[in-house]
Amino acid sequence: MLDHRNLLVTFRDYLVAMDALHLRRFLDGFDWDLRSRELAAESIPVVRHLQPIKARDDLLAVLARHANNLHWGRTYSPADFGDHFLQNYGWVELFGSRGHFASDEMAGGFLVLGPGVDYPDHHHIAEEIYVPLTDGSFWSKDRGAFAIRKVGEVIHHPSGISHAMRTAEQPLVALYLWRGGPLSEKPKFQGDTP
Ligand SMILES: [Fe+2]
């Protein structure tokens, strides 16, 4: 089985090299010496979008190399947002309460959205950081206007704040971190029962 520690080290080095206030706070004191978990490879349709992307940095290139051996997941069912969404949405937890490496303190991994996807407003208790690894995606926070985001921007979602993403022609690959709340919580949407 492919050793994913190379992906974990590249993920860590990518973040450590960035200089952003919220990110520094997330990473402060975090021990990256994580125990690996044996997870079977699990592919989902959205993974098809990864290979054709021209990687502009090491992290995306290493992710693409590992993609077929990772345990990809989806939080939703067709009843939530329909079939187009499920064919063009997915994530992999590199580390966290259920990922390829074990941590109860922080979760981290990758979200992938295909073109033409609308990920509606949602929120969760954990504080979150996203860093897009591709250009051309649109992000809304606290029900504000959608803004286009570029590779390497740090997008911070405080605990419980509403956020939404949209893609247009380009797929989105983004690194994510969760900290300070239940690491496997299913996000809540407007209209959900509390
Ligand atoms: Fe989120």
Side-chain angles (χ1 to χ4, degrees):
M1 190 171 180
L2 191 66
D3 181 8
H4 296 306
R5 202 163 291 272
N6 177 31
L7 180 57
L8 179 68
V9 167
T10 311
F11 188 103
R12 178 199 67 193
D13 291 351
Y14 180 90
L15 291 174
V16 168
M18 295 180 84
D19 189 28
L21 179 68
H22 294 300
L23 188 54
R24 272 205 304 276
R25 199 166 45 75
F26 259 62
L27 303 184
D28 194 29
F30 185 67
D31 184 357
W32 290 92
D33 188 16
L34 303 170
R35 181 177 53 79
S36 72
R37 247 192 215 115
E38 287 294 318
L39 289 185
E42 176 79 43
S43 196
I44 55 174
V46 77
V47 176
R48 73 191 185 280
H49 293 300
L50 272 176
Q51 303 302 343
I53 295 175
K54 220 170 159 30
R56 281 177 38 187
D57 53 64
D58 252 20
L59 183 55
L60 191 47
V62 176
L63 172 63
R65 276 209 298 281
H66 284 254
N68 290 327
N69 295 293
L70 292 169
H71 188 88
W72 292 88
R74 290 179 284 190
T75 307
Y76 309 108
S77 69
D80 289 309
F81 308 119
D83 196 51
H84 175 76
F85 185 90
L86 275 197
Q87 298 296 316
N88 289 281
Y89 150 86
W91 47 264
V92 58
E93 186 178 284
L94 185 55
F95 59 92
S97 55
R98 54 194 163 166
H100 288 274
F101 296 88
S103 172
D104 295 326
E105 200 183 331
M106 182 160 73
F110 302 92
L111 170 77
V112 182
L113 298 178
V117 170
D118 190 346
Y119 191 163
D121 255 319
H122 58 285
H123 57 93
H124 40 76
I125 295 165
E127 206 181 333
E128 178 177 64
I129 280 179
Y130 271 112
V131 181
L133 303 179
T134 54
D135 282 328
S137 55
F138 299 83
W139 299 68
S140 159
K141 181 157 71 171
D142 205 11
R143 301 184 189 279
F146 279 82
I148 193 162
R149 298 292 204 160
K150 289 189 300 211
V151 170
E153 288 193 58
V154 174
I155 301 164
H156 175 238
H157 298 140
S159 172
I161 205 156
S162 214
H163 50 281
M165 300 84 118
R166 281 181 194 157
T167 53
E169 296 84 24
Q170 301 298 317
L172 164 70
V173 184
L175 171 163
Y176 74 82
L177 296 171
W178 271 34
R179 195 165 190 171
L183 297 182
S184 309
E185 183 193 4
K186 182 176 179 181
K188 302 207 168 34
F189 292 81
Q190 199 172 20
D192 280 356
T193 41

